[in-house]
Amino acid sequence: MPELTPMARQYQEMKALHKDAILFFRLGDFYEMFNDDAELASRELDLTLTGRGKDDNRMPMCGIPYHAAEGYIAKLIEKGYKVAICEQVEDPKLAKGLVKRDIIRIVTPGTVLESSMLSDKTNNYLLAVNHEKGRFGLAFVDATTGEFKLSDFNSIEKLTDEIKRIAPAETIVSDLFPEEPRRLVAGSGFKDTYDNDTAVEKLLDHFQVKSLESFGLTGQEVALGAAAAILDYLKVTQKTTLGHINVLKPYHPEAFMFIDATTRRNLEITQTARDKSFRGSLLWVLDRTRTAMGSRLLRQWLLQPLLDVKLIEKRLDAVAELFNNGLLRAELGEGLKKVFDIERLTGKAATQSANARDLVALKESLHQLPKVVNLLEKAGSELLKEPRRLLREESRSSVAGSFVAEITELIKEAIVDDPPFVIREGGLIKPGYNAELDELKQAASGGKQWLAELESAERQRTGIKSLKIGYTRVFGYYIEVTNSNRDQVPPDYIRKQTLVNAERFITPELKDKETLILNADERMKELEYQLLVEVRTKVAAFTKELQAVASAIAQTDVLLSLAEVAVENRYCRPKVTGNGIRVTGGRHPVVEKTLGEFQFVANDVELNERTSFLLITGPNMGGKSTYMRQVALICLLAQIGSFVPAKAAELGLIDRIFTRIGAMDDIYSGQSTFMVEMTETANILNNATANSLIILDEIGRGTATFDGMSIAAAVAEFIHNKIKAKTLFATHYHEITQLAEKNPGMQNVSMLVKETGDQITFLHKVATGPADRSYGIQVAKLAGLPNEVVKRAKEVYNTLEMVENDLGKRGKKNEKISGNRLSARAGQLGLFGGGDGDRRRGTGWTGGRSPA
């Protein structure tokens, strides 16, 4: 095997420590990748693949400029890779032999800190899962903000539902996690699985406390192992202090309305079902927040509606106060608009990754806080008082907390107003902040003035008008003379470099001054960086206080956003009481926003102990799905503490919302449309309670008509008789409407249609009683089916109707005609070209109704 060079050996030692990451190896002004990493990076980043060495010693390599690394790292992280950054940790000028290098950080999808790699509107979570004695523990952290939470579960189904809600950027799973459910929890493994004592010890050490009781972590033993794994993972990857992760909060999913992944998709809460876009979602309608941290909090509220009436009322009180005070809304909006992302800026300061621009943004944000607090001085609602409480000094005469003033003043005095992005090239610190720096700047400035004067004097002495003094890192300062003026060069010039069109010279005097200038410049940059680090460290000392303020400001921002949306869209304050649903003039918040407020047709709904189940019939495009979804969204909005799109609403607490709307084949698990439909329905029947809201649309349509109708009827009866949940049940099986006759808690309602000859107009209005037709052929015509298809469909329909009437006359009075009898008779008439032989079950329609 060929002998490795010292540099290659150093590279391989670093790579051996991080085999699962792409190693960015610093060489001068470039990050280089070698061997397999180089081949992978060249392919994924479209880089030119070169090599180092010859023959057997040749190593494939590719590289990127160090100052452009962030963009390349972002692309790799987006593709799911990890990147280990290996830096030069000593000055090459001072190195004896090979420059020392070390891994300073490992960037993974769940540990990204750079703003350019993150979405402002969503958290970037790293999640860990643990398993012990039949229970599952979960912990997650946002490394950019310090949010750290855990919970535990008694089933894999509840665990996976919660993981889908959190939507982590990266998941790590205990190696002892059961093999079968591990398939459902996609993620990389961690080898250390901690027992409770070890996990507690690690957490106590990190938080520097003697007991975890102050965090309320009793009964969360399995989840503690996941939390300890997260801290270890962050320490390995970040290699810095984690001071911003200063509290671990337990939470209980039972404290929130449960919304599974299917329901989140069907209700389009944070993104649309069709193309996963933000526009067209419920969040799109509600998000009028001014700050990034407010936007993230609103998203969290939407995914975790409350079950605590007192907290819901607190939120509603705050929204109502802002709703009724237009001047306060306007002024508060202006103040918050100038507040940057205090959460993430604080996280950067605590992890020593904040640059000078980040500190200036923090200063400008904190500068706005006293103004915001002044605006809230007369607020009566409890939640609007929170920023004021946090920012008050012990002296009640001041509205701005001392730590806010201290940080603001520190950054104002130290950092220039418009600093560069790079923090090691100087230009960061204001004059007057540090005496030594001021002296160095004066020396450097004097040296540069001396160079300008020397250039002018040499031009005059030599008579060379184009003579100039320049600088390169390799040769230092030089005097450049073009070839056409070489005969005028004085004898005391010492030739240093020959170019194509010019010669470069030095003089003893120039070299002596160069040493003074460069030493001052280098020391100046080094000192500026040290001063920046000192300022950053002082800011980080107030991490807890800044996080508390950021949380209060984010909450205020969300409440303001909800109030503004309520005013603009004519929402009302809901009454959260009782256990029914009573909505007058309810609207779908997203459809209304898309159509325009005067085009949307509002509808009422009432579900109570007497009538808990609505059977909804009517044509496709008649508005059934919109009507059902709007009821669910109104309940959800009320329980996040928002006003709702209605004239009036009185709502009981909903513990879970279930939806079964539409279906598609699940190719990856090999499930058909009907199997997916039945699996989702089974989930509802097995988990819904009397306090749940169930939305069911077209149960049973994925199979033969007679089978589907039977299943739909059985499901409806089971929900009504056994579960007793509030239910909206849309169907095209008109026979099912007869269930209302024998089940007193069921009521038939339908979507009105105006019929003019062969033309129909959808009125989108809900009326009592079942629909008498489905208008399937008319809807098909509106959809653009060819006229000959529509005409033939009418012929088939009329003939089937005639056949059923004929069968009905022969049978007993009011006897139901089954689908297989009708299709068999239709086959005898040659309707489908199959004659008597085409008697497959379910090929016709039942009950004389139009095809659905």
Side-chain angles (χ1 to χ4, degrees):
M1 183 176 179
E3 186 176 347
L4 296 174
T5 64
M7 189 279 296
R9 190 178 301 112
Q10 187 185 51
Y11 168 81
Q12 290 203 348
E13 288 171 357
M14 296 294 166
K15 180 62 184 175
L17 297 173
H18 303 285
K19 294 179 181 178
D20 62 341
I22 298 172
L23 184 63
F24 276 33
F25 191 77
R26 182 72 178 266
L27 285 176
D29 289 340
F30 282 79
Y31 285 117
E32 299 289 355
M33 288 146 278
F34 297 97
N35 299 330
D36 292 344
D37 283 358
E39 292 177 355
L40 189 154
S42 68
R43 183 174 66 250
E44 296 288 2
L45 301 176
D46 196 24
L47 299 173
T48 301
L49 186 67
T50 60
R52 191 182 187 98
K54 294 182 179 181
D55 302 326
D56 292 342
N57 285 328
R58 186 170 177 79
M59 299 171 65
M61 66 179 289
C62 65
I64 57 171
Y66 81 96
H67 57 78
E70 195 170 295
Y72 289 103
I73 292 173
K75 290 179 181 178
L76 291 171
I77 296 301
E78 190 177 351
K79 293 173 183 285
Y81 296 106
K82 299 178 181 179
V83 177
I85 302 173
C86 181
E87 280 287 358
Q88 298 172 172
V89 293
E90 69 172 338
D91 190 336
K93 295 177 182 176
L94 304 176
K96 295 180 179 179
L98 190 65
V99 176
K100 291 181 182 178
R101 293 179 174 85
D102 200 0
I103 306 293
I104 63 162
R105 187 178 163 214
I106 302 167
V107 187
T108 72
T111 62
V112 171
L113 299 177
E114 290 76 11
S115 301
S116 61
M117 299 187 197
L118 298 168
S119 165
D120 288 340
K121 293 180 176 291
T122 57
N123 287 95
N124 195 68
Y125 289 125
L126 168 69
L127 183 144
V129 180
N130 200 19
H131 172 263
E132 189 177 324
K133 297 178 182 178
R135 291 194 67 82
F136 301 93
L138 170 154
F140 63 91
V141 69
D142 186 336
T144 67
T145 66
E147 178 188 358
F148 194 15
K149 293 181 178 179
L150 58 71
S151 189
D152 66 348
F153 306 85
N154 56 15
S155 74
I156 187 65
E157 291 78 17
K158 290 181 179 178
L159 174 73
T160 53
D161 269 333
E162 184 64 2
I163 292 174
K164 289 175 183 176
R165 181 193 69 81
I166 296 167
E170 183 180 2
T171 301
I172 55 177
V173 187
S174 162
D175 281 352
L176 295 185
F177 206 78
E179 186 173 341
E180 180 57 28
R182 188 184 180 116
R183 180 177 58 86
L184 302 173
V185 185
S188 56
F190 57 88
K191 294 182 180 179
D192 294 320
T193 302
Y194 306 111
D195 57 39
N196 184 251
D197 290 342
T198 305
V200 169
E201 185 179 338
K202 285 180 173 290
L203 293 168
L204 292 176
D205 180 63
H206 172 78
F207 292 114
Q208 292 294 292
V209 294
K210 293 184 178 180
S211 169
L212 295 177
E213 289 182 9
S214 60
F215 293 156
L217 295 174
T218 54
Q220 305 276 359
E221 287 77 12
V222 182
L224 292 178
I230 277 182
L231 287 178
D232 275 358
Y233 191 80
L234 288 176
K235 287 172 182 175
V236 168
T237 57
Q238 301 308 289
K239 300 184 183 295
T240 185
T241 57
L242 301 173
H244 65 310
I245 303 175
N246 48 53
V247 64
L248 177 57
K249 295 181 180 179
Y251 74 100
H252 304 281
E254 298 79 17
F256 305 98
M257 177 197 289
F258 182 78
I259 309 172
D260 62 22
T262 298
T263 298
R264 287 196 299 273
R265 182 191 69 228
N266 289 336
L267 295 182
E268 301 183 302
I269 295 175
T270 59
Q271 60 184 19
T272 59
R274 181 180 296 274
D275 59 5
K276 315 259 185 247
S277 66
F278 171 70
R279 182 180 178 83
S281 67
L282 178 63
L283 183 57
W284 167 70
V285 173
L286 297 182
D287 194 355
R288 293 288 305 278
T289 55
R290 267 68 171 191
T291 69
M293 51 195 178
S295 186
R296 293 193 296 273
L297 182 61
L298 175 58
R299 181 188 180 89
Q300 291 176 20
W301 282 17
L302 268 180
L303 293 176
Q304 288 186 308
L306 301 170
L307 293 178
D308 184 335
V309 176
K310 289 183 179 179
L311 185 48
I312 292 171
E313 290 295 341
K314 282 182 181 179
R315 290 181 182 178
L316 287 171
D317 286 343
V319 173
E321 185 169 357
L322 293 167
F323 181 93
N324 293 316
N325 192 332
L327 181 60
L328 176 58
R329 286 199 314 275
E331 292 180 335
L332 195 56
E334 277 301 306
L336 291 176
K337 190 166 65 175
K338 299 173 184 177
V339 175
F340 293 93
D341 196 340
I342 299 176
E343 269 188 335
R344 285 183 171 169
L345 291 171
T346 301
K348 282 187 168 186
T351 56
Q352 296 295 301
S353 62
N355 61 27
R357 283 180 175 263
D358 293 327
L359 295 176
V360 170
L362 181 61
K363 175 200 71 176
E364 292 176 0
S365 300
L366 296 181
H367 182 68
Q368 295 298 319
L369 296 192
K371 301 176 186 177
V372 171
V373 171
N374 276 328
L375 291 171
L376 297 173
E377 187 65 30
K378 295 180 180 179
S381 56
E382 188 175 333
L383 296 185
L384 292 180
K385 292 178 181 178
E386 204 160 303
R388 190 173 76 212
R389 178 179 59 79
L390 287 170
L391 293 179
R392 277 189 180 278
E393 280 185 305
E394 293 179 6
S395 167
R396 297 184 60 84
S397 61
S398 173
V399 296
S402 60
F403 75 92
V404 170
E406 185 175 337
I407 294 171
T408 304
E409 194 61 28
L410 170 65
I411 299 173
K412 181 180 178 182
E413 289 180 358
I415 310 298
V416 298
D417 293 334
D418 187 21
F421 284 103
V422 182
I423 58 176
R424 290 185 176 272
E425 296 297 323
L428 308 173
I429 306 299
K430 279 185 176 179
Y433 180 73
N434 180 274
E436 183 185 353
L437 179 62
D438 289 344
E439 290 176 7
L440 288 169
K441 284 184 177 180
Q442 189 173 2
S445 175
K448 288 174 183 176
Q449 178 63 32
W450 181 86
L451 288 172
E453 291 173 357
L454 175 64
E455 182 180 79
S456 177
E458 288 301 305
R459 283 180 179 178
Q460 194 169 9
R461 178 168 80 95
T462 62
I464 304 172
K465 303 289 186 184
S466 61
L467 179 148
K468 65 179 182 180
I469 294 178
Y471 171 80
T472 68
R473 286 191 176 186
V474 177
F475 296 110
Y477 287 103
Y478 57 82
I479 300 171
E480 184 173 290
V481 178
T482 58
N483 288 341
S484 59
N485 294 301
R486 274 189 303 184
D487 56 345
Q488 294 176 262
V489 172
D492 57 329
Y493 278 20
I494 304 168
R495 182 178 285 104
K496 188 69 177 177
Q497 185 183 16
T498 300
L499 304 178
V500 176
N501 298 315
E503 295 278 357
R504 288 176 176 174
F505 304 88
I506 60 171
T507 66
E509 183 183 22
L510 180 60
K511 293 310 289 181
D512 288 344
K513 203 68 176 180
E514 176 188 288
T515 302
L516 294 173
I517 295 171
L518 291 183
N519 284 345
D521 196 50
E522 196 168 311
R523 172 59 186 150
M524 182 174 65
K525 291 176 182 178
E526 182 183 335
L527 182 56
E528 286 211 39
Y529 175 72
Q530 290 174 0
L531 293 171
L532 173 72
V533 170
E534 287 178 13
V535 172
R536 195 165 60 186
T537 302
K538 290 178 181 177
V539 171
F542 296 103
T543 294
K544 283 188 178 180
E545 293 86 346
L546 287 169
Q547 287 174 330
V549 167
S551 177
I553 293 299
Q555 180 176 258
T556 303
D557 193 15
V558 172
L559 295 168
L560 176 62
S561 180
L562 293 178
E564 289 189 328
V565 170
V567 171
E568 290 175 7
N569 299 291
R570 300 173 295 109
Y571 290 3
C572 74
R573 176 171 182 164
K575 294 180 180 178
V576 183
T577 183
N579 61 0
I581 295 175
R582 185 177 184 181
V583 178
T584 304
R587 289 118 51 199
H588 191 296
V590 181
V591 177
E592 175 187 51
K593 196 73 176 174
T594 305
L595 290 178
E597 59 179 315
F598 299 110
Q599 295 186 47
F600 189 89
V601 179
N603 279 295
D604 302 342
V605 64
E606 184 165 3
L607 296 169
N608 49 43
E609 291 181 356
R610 294 187 308 277
T611 304
S612 62
F613 196 113
L614 296 185
L615 285 162
I616 308 170
T617 49
N620 286 318
M621 295 177 62
K624 298 190 301 295
S625 293
T626 298
Y627 176 65
M628 293 190 296
R629 284 184 172 100
Q630 78 186 38
V631 174
L633 292 177
I634 286 171
C635 292
L636 186 154
L637 286 173
Q639 287 183 222
I640 70 166
S642 170
F643 282 24
V644 300
K647 288 183 178 178
E650 192 170 324
L651 307 164
L653 284 181
I654 301 296
D655 63 355
R656 301 181 64 150
I657 296 178
F658 292 96
T659 62
R660 225 303 328 145
I661 300 172
M664 60 177 62
D665 289 354
D666 189 343
I667 297 171
Y668 296 105
S669 62
Q671 293 186 335
S672 67
T673 299
F674 183 64
M675 188 63 182
V676 171
E677 180 183 340
M678 290 300 98
T679 300
E680 292 180 358
T681 303
N683 174 55
I684 295 171
L685 300 184
N686 290 326
N687 293 291
T689 73
N691 293 321
S692 300
L693 174 63
I694 299 176
I695 307 295
L696 292 171
D697 193 1
E698 305 301 334
I699 287 294
R701 67 179 175 182
T703 188
T705 303
F706 199 57
D707 292 343
M709 184 172 65
S710 303
I711 292 169
V715 168
E717 288 182 326
F718 185 86
I719 293 172
H720 176 267
N721 298 329
K722 300 290 185 181
I723 301 175
K724 303 184 186 301
K726 291 168 277 293
T727 305
L728 301 174
F729 190 104
T731 183
H732 279 304
Y733 296 131
H734 290 269
E735 290 75 13
I736 292 178
T737 61
Q738 296 175 31
L739 292 174
E741 296 173 8
K742 61 178 182 177
N743 293 288
M746 290 186 181
Q747 180 182 5
N748 281 310
V749 297
S750 58
M751 310 306 297
L752 291 179
V753 174
K754 181 180 179 181
E755 196 170 0
T756 308
D758 281 345
Q759 303 297 319
I760 59 171
T761 303
F762 302 113
L763 301 180
H764 303 296
K765 196 69 181 174
V766 176
T768 303
D772 58 348
R773 298 179 60 192
S774 282
Y775 301 97
I777 295 175
Q778 288 88 340
V779 172
K781 182 179 180 181
L782 287 175
L785 260 63
N787 288 334
E788 60 183 289
V789 174
V790 174
K791 182 180 178 182
R792 175 58 179 156
K794 287 179 181 178
E795 292 173 357
V796 174
Y797 173 71
N798 292 333
T799 304
L800 287 173
E801 195 171 51
M802 181 181 67
V803 170
E804 185 192 20
N805 289 337
D806 179 52
L807 288 172
K809 289 176 183 178
R810 298 181 188 184
K812 295 178 182 179
K813 189 176 183 180
N814 296 327
E815 180 187 6
K816 284 294 156 195
I817 310 298
S818 67
N820 55 331
R821 285 182 60 197
L822 176 59
S823 60
R825 181 64 176 144
Q828 290 171 6
L829 294 175
L831 268 179
F832 304 115
D836 289 339
D838 190 9
R839 298 186 182 182
R840 290 168 294 178
R841 189 176 189 182
T843 54
W845 299 288
T846 64
R849 302 297 181 181
S850 61

